[in-house]
Amino acid sequence: MDVGSSVKSAVKWMGISKAASQIVAWALTIITIRFLNPADYGLIALAGISLSFVQLFGDAGLYLRLVQKRDLDLYYIRQVFGIAIVVGIFLTLLLMGLAPLIADSFSEPRLTDIIRALSLTLIISSFGLVPDAMLARRLDFKAIMMFDMVSTIIASTLVCLLAFLGWGAWALVVGSLTGAILRVIRLYYLSPFPHWPIWSLAGIGETLRFGGLVTLQRVLGWYYNWIDRFLLGRAYSAEIVGYYSVALHLAELPHSKIGSILVMATNAGMARVAGDRPAMAHHLLQGIRVLALAMLPVCLGISVTAPDLIPVVLGQKWLPSIVAMQALCFAIPLRMIHSPIGESLNAVDQTAIATVNTLITAVIVTIGVVIGLQWGFEGVAWGWVASYPFAFLITLVRAKRVLGLGIWQFTRAILPATVCASLMYGVVAVARPFLPWPVPSISGLAASVALGVLVYGLAILIADRPTLRTMLSILRG
C-alpha cells in the first residue's frame, strides 16, 4: 500500500473510532462538568502544569525516533525500552518529591496528593512507548478502533460516576489513571513486545542527541501552552483558573478529539516520504487544507454559539467562561495548522530550526499573555488571539527555505475554508437575535447550529469542492 493510501486508511479508521467514542465521551464530559465546580477544574489545571512539564521528558524524543528511523533492530528497540522505563521511574519519584513545593507555590495544599497520584501515569505510560511507536510506524489504526472506543467510554463513564458521587477533583484524577492503564493494556494487546529491556546506552548517542533537541522543542511548546494557566494560578484563585480551563477545554475539543486524527495522519505521511521533499510538501499542504476545511467551521461555530452553548449545556454557574471561550476559538485553528509545520521540519532533520521557531512562539505568546493578564482570564484569552498570528507568520517565513513553501501557498490552502467559515460566523451572529426561539435555549442553539451548517456547507461546496471531495474520499477510505 502506498503512503497516500496508508494515510487515507489511517484517517478513516481513526475517524470512525474518534466519532463513535467521542459522541459518548463528549456527552459524559458535559455531564461531568455540570457535576463539578470551577475550583475542581482549577485544581486539576494547576496540577496539570507540573505533570505536563515532567511528561515532556518521559520519552526524551525516543518515541519520535522509533517512528522515524528507517532501519530498526531488536537490540536498539530494547535499549529504547530500557531508557523509557528508567526515565519513567525517575520522573515519577521526582514529581512525588516536589509535590509539596509545587502546592506551596500556588498556596493550594490540596494539590500535594493530587500531583502525587497523577505522577503514577508517568511510569505507567513508559511501558507503552515501544508498542505505541510500532503501531504508528505501521499506520495500523484500524486495529485500535474498538479498543479506543471501549477505553474512552470506560474512563469517561467512571469520571462521570465519581463526579456524581461527590469525588470532586479526584474523579478526574482516577479517570486519568484508569485511562493510562487501559491505554497500555490496549497497546500490548495490539502490538505485543515480549522482550526484556536492555540497560545500556552503547551506540545510542545519536538518538539521545536527537531526543535532546526534540525535548527542548517540547519544553518550549509546553511553556507557551501552559504559561496562561501558570500566571493565572499565581495571580488569581483556583476558581478563576477553573473558568479559564473549561473555556480552553471546550475550545480545544475540535482539535483534541477530531482534528488530532488529521494532524497525526499528516505527520505520519510526511515521515514516510521524508526523503522526497516535493512529496512531503504536497502531503503538508493537503493536510493543512483538509484541517482548515474540517476544523475552522467547528471552532468558529463554537465561538458564535457560546452565549447559548454554555448556559444550555453546562449550566448557569459557567457563564463567566463565555467570553474567554469565544476568544480562544479564534486561536485554536492556527495552533492546529502550526503543528504539522514543526513536525515536517523534524522529519527532514531540521530539528534546530523547529526548536528556534518554538522559542520565538513562546516569547511572542508570553508577551501577549502577560499584557492580557491585566484584564483577568478574559484578557489572557485575547492575549493568545492577538499574539499567535505573529508567531505563525514568523514560523512560515523561517520554514520556507527548507520546505519550499511560502506564505502565499499556505494562504491559498486555507483561504477557501477561512472565507466560508467567516461568512458562516457573520450570518449566524446577525441572525441569532431574530430567530423565532428564545435565547439562550435548546431550540435557539439547535437553530443556530443548523443555520451555520447550512451556510458553511453551501459556501464550501461552491468555493472548494475539490478539497471537500478529498476529505470525503479519505473518510470513505
Side-chain angles (χ1 to χ4, degrees):
M1 183 182 293
D2 61 25
V3 175
S5 298
S6 297
V7 172
K8 288 181 179 181
S9 178
V11 174
K12 173 188 174 182
W13 289 107
M14 290 177 71
I16 292 172
S17 172
K18 287 283 186 178
S21 60
Q22 293 310 324
I23 287 174
V24 177
W26 283 353
L28 292 171
T29 297
I30 289 169
I31 295 172
T32 300
I33 292 175
R34 294 183 72 95
F35 287 145
L36 298 178
N37 296 315
D40 295 325
Y41 269 93
L43 286 171
I44 296 301
L46 293 176
I49 294 173
S50 55
L51 178 66
S52 62
F53 178 74
V54 174
Q55 282 175 332
L56 299 173
F57 303 90
D59 67 11
L62 298 175
Y63 170 83
L64 186 59
R65 203 55 170 170
L66 282 178
V67 173
Q68 293 184 353
K69 192 175 175 63
R70 292 294 180 90
D71 301 313
L72 291 177
D73 59 74
L74 181 59
Y75 186 87
Y76 176 84
I77 298 173
R78 291 173 65 191
Q79 279 183 296
V80 171
F81 188 29
I83 295 171
I85 292 174
V86 170
V87 172
I89 294 173
F90 172 76
L91 293 178
T92 298
L93 296 176
L94 176 65
L95 193 54
M96 283 186 172
L98 292 176
L101 297 177
I102 297 169
D104 287 344
S105 70
F106 290 110
S107 300
E108 273 290 354
R110 293 174 292 177
L111 280 177
T112 300
D113 290 337
I114 290 175
I115 291 174
R116 284 175 171 168
L118 288 173
S119 70
L120 295 174
T121 60
L122 297 168
I123 181 60
I124 294 170
S125 298
S126 68
F127 283 91
L129 184 142
V130 169
D132 192 15
M134 297 303 101
L135 282 173
R137 284 177 68 88
R138 300 197 302 264
L139 288 174
D140 191 9
F141 297 113
K142 177 180 179 179
I144 68 175
M145 179 185 67
M146 289 303 299
F147 287 87
D148 267 351
M149 290 169 55
V150 173
S151 60
T152 299
I153 292 171
I154 290 175
S156 299
T157 302
L158 180 61
V159 171
C160 186
L161 176 61
L162 294 177
F164 172 73
L165 294 175
W167 281 49
W170 281 96
L172 300 172
V173 173
V174 174
S176 295
L177 290 170
T178 303
I181 293 170
L182 291 174
R183 181 175 180 273
V184 172
I185 292 173
R186 178 257 288 172
L187 289 172
Y188 272 91
Y189 181 83
L190 296 175
S191 183
F193 188 70
H195 305 284
W196 288 100
I198 293 177
W199 317 104
S200 170
L201 298 178
I204 206 167
E206 184 275 334
T207 295
L208 294 178
R209 285 191 294 273
F210 172 84
L213 278 175
V214 171
T215 300
L216 175 59
Q217 190 182 138
R218 290 176 177 175
V219 167
L220 294 170
W222 169 89
Y223 172 82
Y224 76 73
N225 276 312
W226 284 91
I227 186 63
D228 47 5
R229 280 151 288 183
F230 175 79
L231 293 177
L232 283 169
R234 299 283 293 176
Y236 299 96
S237 67
E239 184 179 33
I240 294 299
V241 178
Y243 285 129
Y244 179 84
S245 297
V246 166
L248 180 61
H249 177 67
L250 292 176
E252 286 183 329
L253 276 179
H255 173 46
S256 62
K257 305 301 185 183
I258 300 175
S260 59
I261 66 176
L262 298 174
V263 172
M264 288 175 64
T266 299
N267 292 344
M270 290 189 297
R272 288 282 191 92
V273 295
D276 184 349
R277 296 204 180 183
M280 193 179 71
H282 170 75
H283 279 289
L284 177 59
L285 280 181
Q286 184 81 319
I288 287 175
R289 189 177 291 114
V290 173
L291 259 175
L293 185 145
M295 293 293 101
L296 271 172
V298 180
C299 290
L300 295 191
I302 291 175
S303 178
V304 74
T305 60
D308 293 330
L309 182 67
I310 285 184
V312 169
V313 176
L314 302 185
Q316 297 294 317
K317 66 182 175 182
W318 293 102
L319 288 179
S321 297
I322 290 177
V323 174
M325 188 174 81
Q326 287 182 302
L328 289 166
C329 284
F330 287 98
I332 297 302
L334 274 186
R335 288 173 60 180
M336 282 191 288
I337 295 169
H338 201 170
S339 176
I341 298 173
E343 291 300 329
S344 67
L345 292 171
N346 287 330
V348 294
D349 291 325
Q350 296 295 327
T351 308
I353 294 177
T355 302
V356 174
N357 286 347
T358 308
L359 174 61
I360 293 171
T361 302
V363 171
I364 292 175
V365 168
T366 299
I367 294 172
V369 168
V370 169
I371 293 173
L373 188 65
Q374 315 308 312
W375 291 274
F377 71 95
E378 293 176 349
V380 169
W382 284 111
W384 261 103
V385 176
S387 61
Y388 206 84
F390 294 102
F392 182 73
L393 288 174
I394 292 173
T395 294
L396 287 184
V397 171
R398 285 177 48 79
K400 179 181 178 180
R401 66 181 181 85
V402 176
L403 303 176
L405 299 173
I407 293 176
W408 173 237
Q409 289 164 294
F410 281 100
T411 301
R412 282 194 303 176
I414 66 173
L415 186 61
T418 302
V419 172
C420 293
S422 299
L423 175 64
M424 175 204 72
Y425 188 99
V427 170
V428 174
V430 171
R432 180 176 169 270
F434 302 101
L435 293 174
W437 293 279
V439 289
S441 65
I442 295 177
S443 55
L445 176 61
S448 295
V449 170
L451 178 62
V453 170
L454 177 63
V455 172
Y456 183 78
L458 291 176
I460 204 67
L461 192 63
I462 296 171
D464 197 9
R465 192 172 298 183
T467 302
L468 183 61
R469 283 199 296 265
T470 298
M471 188 175 71
L472 293 175
S473 70
I474 289 174
L475 295 176
R476 288 195 297 264

